[in-house]
Amino acid sequence: RNRPEGKVLETVGVFEVPKQNGKYETGQLFLHSVFGYRGVVLFPWQARLYDRDVASAAPEKAENPAGHGSKEVKGKTHTYYQVLIDARDCPHISQRSQTEAVTFLANHDDSRALYAIPGLDYVSHEDILPYTSTDQVPIQHELFERFLLYDQTKAPPFVARETLRAWQEKNHPWLELSDVHRETTENIRVTVIPFYMGMREAQNSHVYWWRYCIRLENLDSDVVQLRERHWRIFSLSGTLETVRGRGVVGREPVLSKEQPAFQYSSHVSLQASSGHMWGTFRFERPDGSHFDVRIPPFSLESNKDEKTPPSGLHW
């Protein structure tokens, strides 16, 4: 659904039956089932999915920075994929999903400097609609031929080059997702994926940075619009910060049956090596009434074995 307009059918071949178990391989072409873009799988990640919609029937916990009154939730292993987005589809999805969501800390003195790699995304296993193509370069992205090599004897016929393996190895601490948090309120599902980006020294103190990707999805047919965000950020140093504001990343997205999802990423820094975030999004209905959607609490943890900053696109 919501496939971007354009000459998609020129490169799309016969759809394969989606895998119910296992995972897709490097080089698998796909359509994103929610945002509709063409893409290719670079490699899979195994994550722990904490889904509060299927939380156990344990009694409510006392409110604390980690639980915030939510139910006991056990993580379940789930497959996500690092993928490349076809550049031809980026203009069609830019209002629904950031195409520069994968960011890094710049490797110099300015601890606030961030840079992005366009056209990278994280895709859940169930969002993959695989297809085949006879085109040797079916995805237009500056990294496609740098990362993948066409080999007609393979299935899928695109295999990882050494540059892809080296890039994954060098950058996996800043790319690998480990925890995914999900919760639904009044048919609005919020999914959060936090990433530790690294530590920088600033004014004789350590500043720890995280990126978090958020997907909002309307599971109902009613039209709603995101109006406000309300964050609570707890740091291990003992501070508790409240952040309120209009919309997210300068937008107030409308979620409808035709365009049910919106995805974005943002950043947070702490002067401690760990913390927690949680909060709410306030949505407005067409009649002017409002309701709050819970953002599932998630941990901000640093990598204890950090040694070198990310290498980005330096080979």
Side-chain angles (χ1 to χ4, degrees), residues 103-105 114 174 195-199 209-211 267 310:
T103 53
F104 296 90
L105 281 178
L114 298 167
W174 296 268
F195 301 84
Y196 176 60
M197 298 178 66
M199 180 270 293
W209 284 83
W210 289 265
R211 176 178 76 249
H267 304 85

Side-chain angles (χ1 to χ4, degrees), residues 35 39 92 177 285:
F35 296 113
H92 302 287
L177 53 88
R285 301 183 181 94

Side-chain angles (χ1 to χ4, degrees), residues 182-218:
R182 190 160 68 192
E183 184 169 6
T184 303
T185 307
E186 297 198 34
N187 290 315
I188 305 298
R189 184 165 63 194
V190 181
T191 303
V192 184
I193 310 174
F195 301 84
Y196 176 60
M197 298 178 66
M199 180 270 293
R200 293 289 182 270
E201 293 188 11
Q203 298 176 344
N204 298 321
S205 66
H206 291 169
V207 179
Y208 299 82
W209 284 83
W210 289 265
R211 176 178 76 249
Y212 54 93
C213 296
I214 291 185
R215 179 161 131 184
L216 304 166
E217 190 164 9
N218 187 356

Side-chain angles (χ1 to χ4, degrees), residues 40-89:
V40 63
V41 170
L42 293 182
F43 40 78
W45 298 116
Q46 290 301 116
R48 292 186 301 273
L49 174 62
Y50 296 91
D51 193 343
R52 281 163 175 77
D53 300 336
V54 293
S56 66
E60 297 280 324
K61 300 171 74 175
E63 177 137 348
N64 60 74
H68 315 297
S70 61
K71 294 178 180 178
E72 182 72 39
V73 181
K74 294 183 179 179
K76 182 180 180 180
T77 301
H78 194 74
T79 303
Y80 277 74
Y81 300 93
Q82 192 91 59
V83 306
L84 290 181
I85 303 173
D86 194 310
R88 292 168 294 184
D89 296 336

Side-chain angles (χ1 to χ4, degrees), residues 270-288:
L270 301 176
Q271 290 187 321
S273 60
S274 64
H276 287 88
M277 289 181 64
W278 69 100
T280 56
F281 292 121
R282 175 154 292 187
F283 279 84
E284 183 178 353
R285 301 183 181 94
D287 64 7

Side-chain angles (χ1 to χ4, degrees), residues 121-133:
D121 198 5
Y122 296 90
V123 180
S124 176
H125 184 80
E126 64 265 22
D127 289 338
I128 298 281
L129 295 175
Y131 71 89
T132 59
S133 173

